[in-house]
Amino acid sequence: MAQTSQNKKDLAQARTKTNFDITDMTNYLYGGAANVEQRRYIIDLIAREPIFNKDDWPWLNHTDAVKRGIAMSTRLAEIKMEHELNDLDFATMVEAIDDTLPILLHNGAFIPVINSQGSDEQIEKWIPLAEKYQIIGCYAQTELGHGSNLSQLETTATFVQETDEWEINSTTFTAAKWWIGGLGAICTHAVVQAKLIIAGKDYGAHVFVVPIRSLDNHKPFPGIQVGDIGPKAYGGFNKMENGFARFNKYRIPRENMLMRFSKVSREGVYTKPPHAKLSYGSMVLLRSVLIRQMALYLSRATTISTRYLTVRRQFNNPTKRNDADINPGLETQVINYPMVQNRLFPMIAQSYALFAAGTVMMEMYIGLMTGLSSGNIDTLAEVHATSSALKSYCTTIAAAGAEECRKLMGGHGYSYFTGLAHMFASIVPSNTYEGDNYVLTQQMARYLLKEVKTARTTPNKVTPYSKYVLLALNKDEFTHARCSVTKAEDWLSPDVQLAVFEHRCARLATELSDDVDAAGGMEATTWSDHNIECYRISHAHAQYVMVLWFIQSIRDARNPETEEEHRASPEAIAILERLSNLHALHTIQTNLADFTEDAYFNPAQCQSLRAQVKALVASIADQAVGLVDAFDHPDFLLASALGASDGDAYQRLWDKAQTEPLNRREVCDGYEEYIRPLLKKHGELKL
Ligand SMILES: Cc1cc2nc3c(=O)[nH]c(=O)nc-3n(C[C@H](O)[C@H](O)[C@H](O)COP(=O)(O)OP(=O)(O)OC[C@H]3O[C@@H](n4cnc5c(N)ncnc54)[C@H](O)[C@@H]3O)c2cc1C
């Protein structure tokens, strides 16, 4: 088939233009050749297992999908144990499986919460059982009536001193736990957030390990009503049995309350944690993991889009970007249209920036946990706020990016077989879970408001990533500060870019601080009036650190003193610098009003910025296929007819359509029942 071979030829030809070593770039992204090799090994491990085959996924209903999800979960657990895989390898297995399975919250939340909030004895008791999957856990916080507002959860855990137990109770209908991944069918235990009550006094939400189902026959224990909440939006999460549970004065032993920080004695004496936010560690972990996941998702979406748009041809536009010299008479590859490039290439750059952000965020988390283990809480507030801001921003851009990649692919983009539909359905709730993206931004805003105050009182105590608040200390000088760019090339200086982002953050944080103070402070009833500004400064901060971390990671990769696995060749560095520039400048361009409303940018600067973004986009064109190849997503993972590595998009799309069960019959079901009676209603017709 001539058309098909042209598809392949087009992608192969695009690859020949790559002017950097793809292996080198892949190593940079994953932190060295050993990591790349291990990731490939794990993905291959999953790809070889028939239970993880994705071919019939589009036709599974929720009930069948959950059953499959359970089968996949148990195999996943077995593989983890057989190969003694660590957390990173487990995360790669989950990446390779590419679906949300009932068991994920066991490793993703149940174990981390016990590890971070359990006492040593509790860890010793529960973790070995959990690691051997002798118990399966989930994380039950959200209720029918409340999610974001933890303080208003209605499930209670009341201390019964006579029997040394907690009585877990869903005090109202709206106290039912809801949305809990793993609760619907698979879990035997849950860590449950419930209000701790002793002698009528409410001590707020605490965490309890609650047995849900019998370890003998998996039946729910008396006193617990538990089930699945039903199918979810866009057909997403359909292998996951997000569940509900209602507790009717259900008893558990006192020692099932996780007591690393808060404690309750046999006598019912409550000891509060030494620091209110000590229990945040597990949340920071989940959010940090999400940043990395977003890098993987957006890089997959851009891989699929870039490859398909390279082989897709529409119109015969006589432009210098055409390949008429090698392919005379063919239409223009749609990836050559500046409008397509302008939509797609900044997302490739964003994916690279997300990889860098994921790495730094994870390092910050590890640093935090190391500190906490020796009682040092110095970085807790900063890491918590940063992970909140980044979770909100990164999940927002990744979900929007996946959808943009679908639109970029035109009509075929809407086919399930792009591999994007399933991904979008999986990625989009990340904007809501682990903290709603709008609510979460208040964490970073609150943190920055404190930093503004610290800057005014003890400037040397401001933490490194919010040092920009110092810029606005001298109000008069700051009001008159102007961007230093005088010619288009100035935009390419990382220092200029960082100064621009710092100025914006400093202004937004200071303005918010002044507004909040004028309205009575953070604890005043007017706090919610500042929601919009909180979102704005939080995303501005996230953009700033993402730009900064990407720049830093390239500087490290270029530095001869950096460990070898984190270095990259000069050719790779050159294209990375272009990506970093594109990422920074495109982010500025997308938020231009923030940089102009205080006259920091002048009109000429806005124009030269746009010109520079356009030039950078065009400069990526020949490297786009190589850049997405470097993400190293194998065909099994992409599961995409349009984005497979050989470029054979039309043939694969055709082949996939032939697997549609409807096509097994020449005459469709429903003909005799519905179509024939309609056609024959007015008698036989001979044409
Ligand atoms: C796929 C999926 C899986 C999940 N898995 C789990 C799980 O395993 N365990 C678990 O415990 N939970 C789980 N959840 C629940 C999830 O964590 C919550 O739904 C999430 O935290 C949002 O809370 P909410 O539903 O109360 O939203 P709400 O807070 O009710 O949000 C509704 C709207 O109000 C806005 N809003 C709320 N408060 C404010 C405010 N103060 N200022 C401004 N705007 C505000 C929000 O932005 C949103 O637009 C899951 C949810 C989903 C979708």
Side-chain angles (χ1 to χ4, degrees):
M1 288 231 247
Q3 187 92 56
T4 304
S5 59
Q6 185 60 43
N7 282 172
K8 286 184 166 183
K9 219 165 94 183
D10 283 344
L11 196 61
Q13 272 166 3
R15 284 200 172 104
T16 63
K17 297 182 193 162
T18 309
N19 67 7
F20 59 91
D21 181 45
I22 291 185
T23 307
D24 186 38
M25 189 65 95
T26 307
N27 292 346
Y28 156 80
L29 283 169
Y30 292 93
N35 290 351
V36 173
E37 207 175 300
Q38 182 67 2
R39 178 171 174 272
R40 286 181 185 166
Y41 166 75
I42 299 285
I43 294 176
D44 189 51
L45 205 62
I46 295 298
R48 280 190 275 118
E49 296 269 338
I51 190 70
F52 300 122
N53 182 290
K54 307 173 187 181
D55 288 346
D56 65 348
W57 284 9
W59 295 285
L60 293 179
N61 64 28
H62 179 52
T63 310
D64 293 338
V66 167
K67 191 168 175 202
R68 177 74 58 84
I70 293 172
M72 291 164 76
S73 292
T74 49
R75 186 64 198 127
L76 176 68
E78 281 163 11
I79 297 176
K80 182 174 190 301
M81 289 186 289
E82 278 163 22
H83 295 263
E84 295 179 5
L85 298 177
N86 62 24
D87 289 346
L88 187 61
D89 290 338
F90 186 78
T92 307
M93 284 206 289
V94 173
E95 183 201 349
I97 288 170
D98 192 27
D99 213 342
T100 35
L101 299 182
I103 207 153
L104 292 192
L105 272 296
H106 173 79
N107 289 86
F110 183 73
I111 291 180
V113 167
I114 295 178
N115 266 330
S116 72
Q117 298 195 47
S119 64
D120 291 346
E121 302 78 55
Q122 288 173 319
I123 292 173
E124 217 168 288
K125 171 176 175 180
W126 296 108
I127 295 300
L129 301 175
E131 280 182 343
K132 284 188 255 146
Y133 298 94
Q134 289 174 286
I135 57 171
I136 300 172
C138 63
Y139 178 73
Q141 175 172 318
T142 307
E143 298 176 354
L144 196 50
H146 292 91
S148 304
N149 190 359
L150 185 60
S151 69
Q152 287 306 308
L153 293 183
E154 295 172 286
T155 306
T156 52
T158 306
F159 185 55
V160 185
Q161 193 169 355
E162 303 74 55
T163 54
D164 199 22
E165 287 175 312
W166 298 104
E167 187 173 271
I168 310 290
N169 201 22
S170 306
T171 49
T172 63
F173 174 61
T174 50
K177 292 292 174 188
W178 204 265
W179 273 115
I180 314 306
L183 182 64
I186 192 173
C187 84
T188 62
H189 288 67
V191 279
V192 172
Q193 287 271 10
K195 271 196 300 201
L196 189 161
I197 315 274
I198 303 173
K201 185 167 177 198
D202 178 355
Y203 290 86
H206 285 71
V207 186
F208 302 82
V209 179
V210 180
I212 302 287
R213 293 182 173 88
S214 156
L215 292 174
D216 295 329
N217 58 18
H218 209 59
K219 282 199 177 145
F221 288 113
I224 303 178
Q225 184 189 0
V226 63
D228 184 300
I229 65 165
K232 280 136 280 187
Y234 310 118
F237 272 57
N238 75 338
K239 296 185 190 68
M240 171 79 98
E241 24 62 291
N242 290 82
F244 62 77
R246 286 169 81 179
F247 302 98
N248 183 9
K249 299 189 175 170
Y250 177 70
R251 296 285 184 94
I252 59 169
R254 179 177 54 89
E255 59 265 23
N256 281 24
M257 170 189 164
L258 292 183
M259 296 207 209
R260 171 157 297 270
F261 305 121
S262 324
K263 297 177 178 47
V264 173
S265 70
R266 177 68 189 91
E267 294 71 37
V269 177
Y270 178 81
T271 312
K272 67 175 189 183
H275 187 289
K277 294 194 173 85
L278 270 173
S279 58
Y280 285 11
S282 44
M283 280 193 284
V284 172
L285 171 65
L286 295 176
R287 288 175 190 151
S288 305
V289 167
L290 273 175
I291 316 300
R292 163 107 176 145
Q293 265 181 14
M294 294 306 122
L296 295 167
Y297 274 132
L298 190 60
S299 59
R300 267 168 57 190
T302 52
T303 301
I304 292 167
S305 242
T306 303
R307 288 179 180 166
Y308 172 64
L309 296 172
T310 301
V311 306
R312 180 71 168 175
R313 290 173 180 269
Q314 292 283 349
F315 302 104
N316 204 343
N317 269 0
T319 88
K320 62 178 188 301
R321 291 175 297 275
N322 274 1
D323 55 351
D325 46 340
I326 37 178
N327 291 308
L330 294 186
E331 291 170 274
T332 304
Q333 289 164 280
V334 293
I335 201 157
N336 286 336
Y337 290 111
M339 189 68 234
V340 167
Q341 297 179 350
N342 189 53
R343 292 157 71 198
L344 177 61
F345 296 168
M347 291 193 291
I348 297 180
Q350 228 165 25
S351 305
Y352 274 77
L354 280 167
F355 267 91
T359 306
V360 181
M361 197 60 249
M362 198 42 85
E363 283 165 7
M364 281 179 89
Y365 165 74
I366 292 167
L368 168 69
M369 294 320 277
T370 313
L372 287 185
S373 65
S374 55
N376 179 350
I377 56 161
D378 288 355
T379 62
L380 179 58
E382 184 193 18
V383 180
H384 169 65
T386 308
S387 68
S388 302
L390 277 166
K391 184 272 174 184
S392 172
Y393 177 66
C394 296
T395 57
T396 300
I397 59 170
E403 170 62 357
E404 185 60 26
C405 285
R406 177 192 72 74
K407 287 189 274 189
L408 268 160
M409 293 195 289
H412 295 335
Y414 197 61
S415 165
Y416 180 93
F417 304 127
T418 58
L420 281 186
H422 171 77
M423 182 203 297
F424 179 72
S426 306
I427 196 175
V428 86
S430 66
N431 287 212
T432 303
Y433 61 63
E434 285 316 317
D436 171 90
N437 275 2
Y438 293 87
V439 179
L440 208 51
T441 55
Q442 294 177 35
Q443 306 290 340
M444 177 42 91
R446 281 180 187 277
Y447 177 75
L448 287 175
L449 290 177
K450 288 184 188 143
E451 288 289 274
V452 171
K453 296 248 167 337
T454 307
R456 287 171 182 163
T457 51
T458 41
N460 57 332
K461 294 225 165 117
V462 172
T463 49
Y465 294 129
S466 35
K467 274 230 156 67
Y468 53 72
V469 292
L470 300 172
L471 293 172
L473 278 182
N474 183 333
K475 272 208 169 146
D476 206 36
E477 216 172 82
F478 186 67
T479 314
H480 293 100
R482 296 292 176 263
C483 172
S484 66
V485 168
T486 54
K487 48 189 188 316
E489 305 86 84
D490 293 347
W491 287 114
L492 302 180
S493 154
D495 292 339
V496 168
Q497 294 161 8
L498 291 173
V500 163
F501 278 99
E502 285 165 0
H503 176 87
R504 175 213 200 186
C505 287
R507 181 173 70 83
L508 295 181
T510 311
E511 279 177 6
L512 177 61
S513 171
D514 293 346
D515 287 352
V516 170
D517 285 350
M522 274 195 270
E523 305 316 321
T525 51
T526 47
W527 169 248
S528 63
D529 292 346
H530 308 289
N531 281 174
I532 300 166
E533 290 74 23
C534 288
Y535 184 84
R536 208 167 152 208
I537 177 60
S538 178
H539 276 213
H541 182 88
Q543 288 171 347
Y544 162 60
V545 292
M546 266 185 69
V547 167
L548 173 69
W549 292 345
F550 193 15
I551 289 170
Q552 281 176 343
S553 95
I554 299 170
R555 282 180 179 159
D556 284 348
R558 202 179 39 203
N559 184 350
E561 283 170 27
T562 301
E563 289 160 34
E564 202 185 327
E565 65 263 29
H566 297 294
R567 284 207 306 268
S569 65
E571 296 77 23
I573 296 286
I575 181 76
L576 281 169
E577 283 174 343
R578 247 183 281 166
L579 288 174
S580 172
N581 286 331
L582 177 57
H583 171 245
L585 300 186
H586 186 265
T587 307
I588 296 172
Q589 184 181 278
T590 312
N591 298 276
L592 207 49
D594 276 1
F595 301 91
T596 53
E597 63 188 9
D598 66 339
Y600 183 68
F601 284 3
N602 61 39
Q605 287 167 334
C606 295
Q607 279 162 4
S608 67
L609 174 83
R610 283 192 194 285
Q612 195 56 269
V613 169
K614 199 170 175 184
L616 281 165
V617 166
S619 78
I620 304 293
D622 284 349
Q623 308 308 316
V625 170
L627 284 170
V628 298
D629 281 351
F631 291 137
D632 204 40
H633 296 313
D635 287 344
F636 168 77
L637 180 57
L638 295 175
S640 173
L642 301 188
S645 53
D646 64 0
D648 211 2
Y650 295 154
Q651 185 64 51
R652 284 173 186 274
L653 192 58
W654 172 269
D655 293 345
K656 274 290 179 190
Q658 308 318 306
T659 66
E660 165 60 57
L662 279 173
N663 298 333
R664 286 185 204 138
R665 305 177 61 137
E666 216 173 2
V667 176
C668 65
D669 251 359
Y671 169 72
E672 291 297 342
E673 208 176 348
Y674 303 110
I675 303 174
R676 190 178 162 81
L678 178 68
L679 290 173
K680 304 296 175 191
K681 193 174 173 115
H682 300 288
E684 289 295 329
L685 186 64
K686 288 268 178 274
L687 285 177

